[in-house]
Amino acid sequence: AFIGCSGLTSVTVDNGNSTYKAVDNVVYTKDRTTLVFAAGGLTSVTIPSTVTSIGNFAFSGCSGLTSVNFPASLTSIGEKAFSRCKNLTSATFADAAGWAVYNDHLYENKAVDIQQSDLENPATAAKYLRDTYRIKYWKKN
């Protein structure tokens, strides 16, 4: 509903919501294991170590986002999660080993294994998320 709203800088979720919660303008599942959506106007974000999954289109349109740091707990990144993040130039993976991209959300049709050395380079990792493999489903094997 809010994809591409780069001017959106604030997101809140009612405290009574039993499914989602917002922290620092990012929406998570209540248990904070899935990052669902980030306000399009964000320029930086700290992803908590509780996050294991980033949802489809979660950061799509965050055109001011320049860098992101992924916790070691992360095991999946949804399709187009960083689509239209044109200024994303640095993506740091706390654990860069064992990642692959798939053509489907069930992770049955593997497109390619991603080299650990590529993800250890923040500029290359950002390019992969933003461009090369943006229309794929990422999974840590």
Side-chain angles (χ1 to χ4, degrees), residues 24-26 38-39 41-47 59 62 64-68:
D24 297 329
N25 301 311
V26 178
L42 288 179
T43 56
S44 66
V45 64
T46 300
I47 298 174
F59 290 93
C62 289
L65 187 66
T66 59
S67 66
V68 63

Side-chain angles (χ1 to χ4, degrees), residues 56-76:
N56 297 342
F57 301 96
F59 290 93
S60 182
C62 289
S63 55
L65 187 66
T66 59
S67 66
V68 63
N69 294 314
F70 298 115
S73 59
L74 186 66
T75 58
S76 67

Side-chain angles (χ1 to χ4, degrees), residues 2 5-14 20-29 32 34-48 51 57-62 65:
F2 300 104
C5 293
S6 60
L8 182 64
T9 57
S10 177
V11 175
T12 58
V13 174
D14 186 275
Y20 300 107
K21 71 184 299 178
V23 178
D24 297 329
N25 301 311
V26 178
V27 177
Y28 302 91
T29 53
R32 289 184 74 178
T34 301
L35 189 154
V36 179
F37 171 77
L42 288 179
T43 56
S44 66
V45 64
T46 300
I47 298 174
V51 171
F57 301 96
F59 290 93
S60 182
C62 289
L65 187 66

Side-chain angles (χ1 to χ4, degrees), residues 82-83 85-86 88-89 126-132 134:
F82 292 89
S83 181
C85 292
K86 62 184 179 187
L88 182 66
T89 56
K127 180 182 178 205
Y128 283 2
L129 287 163
R130 185 187 69 237
D131 297 321
T132 309
R134 72 180 175 85

Side-chain angles (χ1 to χ4, degrees), residues 56 76-79 100-112 133 135-139:
N56 297 342
S76 67
I77 302 172
E79 179 187 34
V101 292
Y102 294 79
N103 294 316
D104 64 299
H105 71 282
L106 298 175
Y107 308 110
E108 295 175 345
N109 184 4
K110 185 188 292 186
V112 67
Y133 301 119
I135 307 175
K136 303 291 182 194
Y137 299 87
W138 293 54
K139 186 172 188 320

